[in-house]
Amino acid sequence: MKFWVIVFPIILAIFLPLPNNPYLTKIPAVEMLNYKLIFGEERSNAIEDRTDRMFYQFFIQSGAYKLPSKDNRESGEFNQAANLMGGWLHGYMTRFWALVYRAMFRFNFLFSWCLSGAFIFVLAAIYDGQQVRNARKFLLSTANPVIFHFLTHASLLFLGLIFSWCFLPIALSPLVLLVSTIAIALLAWKANASYLG
């Protein structure tokens, strides 16, 4: 869980901008089309506007977003190797901030997806699993702690993979998002129904 939620996204954020390939850091056109198919034109534009405001507030207004500028250098102070290194660093940082923006955009999209009913669906599955557990207690049935442990870690791993997806250069289709939501709900339901407590 810690690897997929913390370490893996940091690794992606560091290494994905290294190649000079805009595809690795930009938002694919098919992904933007998927957002409009799910939420509609107006709400997709609202998500994009919210991402722009957040990026401006957290990174530009705070001063974190800074790129090395060739205009600020004097030709006599840098040799050719330094200029080449500065040019590469400029490109790397440009791609890095594009990757950060894409991750923030996807976080906002997932947040809107949760507000659209996915979160309520998962909570309903957890509650139903709890009722199944209570019924088993009343019937003096036993629960398997190994199954509970396995399903809990599987649910956290699934959530970690979705978190890491925000940094990957892969467009997510609405079908995959729907199947993922159902899978998380089923894992949470079964884990809660198997809980020993």
Side-chain angles (χ1 to χ4, degrees):
M1 175 63 177
K2 292 180 181 178
F3 176 80
W4 292 108
V5 175
I6 300 174
V7 180
F8 191 58
I10 292 176
I11 293 174
L12 290 174
I14 293 173
F15 289 101
L16 273 181
L18 286 176
N20 189 11
N21 186 351
Y23 172 76
L24 297 176
T25 55
K26 72 176 185 178
I27 302 174
V30 65
E31 185 174 333
M32 297 297 295
L33 180 60
N34 288 338
Y35 295 152
K36 292 178 181 179
L37 289 174
I38 295 173
F39 293 116
E41 184 86 25
E42 184 177 348
R43 194 165 177 191
S44 297
N45 292 336
I47 295 174
E48 188 172 359
D49 291 340
R50 186 171 68 226
T51 305
D52 291 341
R53 290 194 303 270
M54 290 176 63
F55 189 85
Y56 179 81
Q57 180 182 357
F58 294 148
F59 299 112
I60 297 178
Q61 201 171 33
S62 66
Y65 179 84
K66 291 180 181 178
L67 294 175
S69 175
K70 293 182 179 180
D71 298 334
N72 295 332
R73 306 174 189 169
E74 295 179 5
S75 58
E77 295 180 0
F78 289 86
N79 56 28
Q80 186 177 6
N83 287 330
L84 288 174
M85 184 61 184
W88 176 85
L89 181 61
H90 183 277
Y92 174 83
M93 292 306 297
T94 300
R95 295 187 293 272
F96 171 79
W97 287 115
L99 179 65
V100 170
Y101 178 86
R102 183 179 68 186
M104 290 183 65
F105 185 83
R106 288 174 170 175
F107 283 136
N108 275 314
F109 166 72
L110 290 176
F111 180 72
S112 299
W113 173 259
C114 289
L115 293 182
S116 297
F119 185 68
I120 297 175
F121 179 69
V122 173
L123 282 181
I126 293 174
Y127 177 78
D128 188 70
Q130 183 180 5
Q131 300 308 310
V132 171
R133 183 187 69 194
N134 292 337
R136 287 177 178 173
K137 279 184 178 181
F138 181 76
L139 297 174
L140 301 179
S141 297
T142 58
N144 191 338
V146 177
I147 293 178
F148 169 75
H149 184 77
F150 172 77
L151 292 174
T152 301
H153 282 272
S155 301
L156 295 177
L157 176 63
F158 216 95
L159 289 173
L161 287 173
I162 293 176
F163 184 84
S164 298
W165 162 79
C166 293
F167 295 87
L168 291 172
I170 302 172
L172 191 65
S173 69
L175 179 61
V176 173
L177 194 59
L178 181 62
V179 171
S180 300
T181 304
I182 295 174
I184 291 174
L186 287 175
L187 287 171
W189 176 84
K190 185 61 178 175
N192 212 34
S194 305
Y195 176 67
L196 268 176

